[in-house]
Amino acid sequence: LTLGYNAADKMTKALVKRRKLTPSEAMLLHHRLNGTLSLNGFKHIDIVIRSIVENMDIKKKVLAEVEGQVNPKTILATNTSSLSVTEMATSLKRPENFVGLHFFSPVNRMPLVEVIPGKKTSPETILSVVNLAKKLKKTPIVVQNWPGFLVNRILIPYVNEAVRCVMDGASIEYVDKIAEKFGMPLGPLALADEVGLDIGFKVSKILEEGYKERMALPALFNDLFKHDTMKGKKSGQGFYNYSKKGKVVNQSMINIINPSHNTLSETEIQDRLILIMINEAARCIEEVVVENAGLLDLAMILGTGFPPFRGGLCRYADSLGSDQLYERMDRLQQRYGRRFEVAPLIKKLKQDQLTFY
């Protein structure tokens, strides 16, 4: 509980410093917080958002416990980044009151919230949490219950491809530099360190189970992401070593990866990083994971910091043109295989000379 109060205090102090809050407003916020070690009093609560470890069995157990302590109209939400909301709901007596609410990290800064209905979630529950997200000054986007939902489903292949680029001979710094030059706020490997390599590995495994060969992880990744001392920024070691002086490339990580001595061009690295995301975005639109290309682009800009000046993944794809997009994707497929297999929608755009928008 003390950790929770201290985290909230740190956030409000930062807001006061930036003049987003007055000291008295910050104090009022703290008076609204209550910490407890039991579920007593939960009968009067309108919504419970559960945020615990990404483990299906533990989530089901805790949700069932909470459901037994709340009133019949209480909405139960889970802050999950990749696990099936429909499966979680099987442990509940009132699945119509249950929904996924995926806040993006750091939650106090990132504006996006993915709203994920399960198979039995009622329209009233969806509407209630969408309105709540708006009251929290967030941007809610309703997405379908596929592994990784929308943003992580597109983002994880990007991070994994960055690791493959290093395996193929590019330096860690060079890969991150190319992504940043494209406009990303942080390179994919630095991003993996920020999120935590252990968390990234768990989400990657869920996507591998869901999408099979297309998102299969090389055997090396098991060593890479499960290394006890290398969990990214939080442990001080990941793709970079972190200290008060800043960050430097972690030589131990390079030794684990044992890269080949190929030379990759800037264009090839950029294509591998960005086009793999566009390909997955096309599949998300085909499968109606999100309503349209505009909402997908909005989610990627607000959830990952994808460069707004490029308009989002689909808008950037349109700027390349369907012919060039297909040719570059096809070239990557011929060279690297299944994970770059061109999405049917991209083939259709080329065939009919259409665009995402």
Side-chain angles (χ1 to χ4, degrees):
L1 290 180
T2 306
L3 281 172
Y5 282 126
N6 286 343
D9 186 50
K10 192 176 176 183
M11 288 174 197
T12 51
K13 277 177 178 169
L15 289 168
V16 169
K17 190 176 180 181
R18 283 164 37 216
R19 299 187 181 183
K20 299 282 185 183
L21 284 179
T22 65
S24 58
E25 285 170 335
M27 195 179 290
L28 272 173
L29 276 177
H30 282 293
H31 283 309
R32 291 186 192 141
L33 287 176
N34 280 299
T36 176
L37 296 174
S38 75
L39 293 174
N40 294 338
F42 272 51
K43 289 270 185 222
H44 308 293
I45 287 174
D46 296 323
I47 182 166
V48 177
I49 304 172
R50 178 230 52 76
S51 184
I52 51 173
V53 65
E54 282 284 84
N55 177 296
M56 182 61 79
D57 292 336
I58 294 172
K59 283 184 192 288
K60 283 181 174 179
K61 183 172 180 286
V62 172
L63 285 165
E65 283 174 6
V66 174
E67 189 185 42
Q69 298 293 325
V70 298
N71 70 65
K73 290 185 178 178
T74 298
I75 292 171
L76 281 183
T78 178
N79 180 38
T80 180
S81 59
S82 55
L83 291 173
S84 171
V85 173
T86 297
E87 188 180 337
M88 264 182 255
T90 58
S91 68
L92 301 174
K93 293 173 183 172
R94 297 185 292 275
E96 67 277 8
N97 292 355
F98 179 60
V99 67
L101 265 187
H102 180 210
F103 291 84
F104 284 76
S105 185
V107 177
N108 57 314
R109 291 183 191 165
M110 296 299 275
L112 183 69
V113 178
E114 285 180 326
V115 176
I116 311 110
K119 202 171 183 179
K120 295 183 178 178
T121 306
S122 72
E124 293 79 11
T125 297
I126 298 168
L127 184 61
S128 293
V129 296
V130 163
N131 286 334
L132 174 65
K134 287 178 180 176
K135 283 183 182 178
L136 295 171
K137 296 179 182 174
K138 301 289 187 187
T139 302
I141 291 181
V142 179
V143 300
Q144 297 308 310
N145 184 45
W146 288 71
F149 313 129
L150 177 67
V151 173
N152 276 338
R153 175 175 169 179
I154 294 171
L155 193 67
I156 291 292
Y158 159 76
V159 175
N160 288 348
E161 197 59 35
V163 179
R164 290 179 194 270
C165 286
V166 176
M167 290 166 65
D168 290 345
S171 73
I172 289 170
E173 286 171 306
Y174 189 49
V175 171
D176 276 351
K177 187 178 173 185
I178 288 167
E180 287 167 14
K181 187 177 175 183
F182 178 79
M184 299 299 278
L186 204 60
L189 302 169
L191 175 66
D193 278 356
E194 287 283 342
V195 171
L197 300 190
D198 51 338
I199 293 169
F201 179 73
K202 282 179 184 174
V203 178
S204 295
K205 290 300 282 182
I206 290 164
L207 265 65
E208 182 181 48
E209 287 164 21
Y211 302 108
K212 308 304 178 195
E213 193 188 341
R214 192 169 86 245
M215 292 201 194
L217 297 173
L220 165 74
F221 278 36
N222 290 295
D223 301 325
L224 196 61
F225 293 135
K226 280 188 165 179
H227 222 280
D228 270 352
T229 56
M230 292 189 201
K231 292 186 176 176
K233 198 171 182 180
K234 62 187 173 188
S235 68
Q237 283 189 82
F239 290 102
Y240 297 89
N241 283 328
Y242 297 86
S243 68
K244 288 178 181 177
K245 293 177 183 176
K247 66 178 186 183
V248 292
V249 170
N250 182 0
Q251 188 58 48
S252 300
M253 182 64 85
I254 296 170
N255 293 341
I256 293 170
I257 295 172
N258 190 24
S260 65
H261 298 289
N262 299 326
T263 303
L264 299 179
S265 70
E266 181 177 332
T267 303
E268 182 167 354
I269 292 171
Q270 182 181 299
D271 273 2
R272 285 175 66 174
L273 297 178
I274 306 302
L275 298 190
I276 202 165
M277 288 198 286
I278 292 172
N279 206 33
E280 204 55 45
R283 293 179 189 278
C284 288
I285 289 169
E286 283 172 326
E287 294 159 8
V288 202
V289 176
V290 67
E291 203 174 318
N292 55 48
L295 285 174
L296 186 147
D297 280 351
L298 181 65
M300 291 306 292
I301 289 168
L302 298 182
T304 71
F306 189 88
F309 72 89
R310 296 199 182 272
L313 276 171
C314 298
R315 184 71 74 183
Y316 173 67
D318 283 354
S319 75
L320 297 177
S322 56
D323 286 337
Q324 191 185 149
L325 176 64
Y326 176 82
E327 283 162 21
R328 283 157 76 169
M329 283 295 313
D330 188 51
R331 196 158 54 239
L332 289 171
Q333 180 184 345
Q334 288 175 33
R335 185 160 185 186
Y336 298 107
R338 179 79 172 90
R339 69 183 187 273
F340 281 104
E341 184 178 339
V342 184
L345 179 58
I346 292 176
K347 291 178 183 175
K348 183 170 171 33
L349 295 181
K350 173 184 161 45
Q351 183 184 315
D352 299 341
Q353 289 298 289
L354 296 170
T355 54
F356 281 103
Y357 280 85

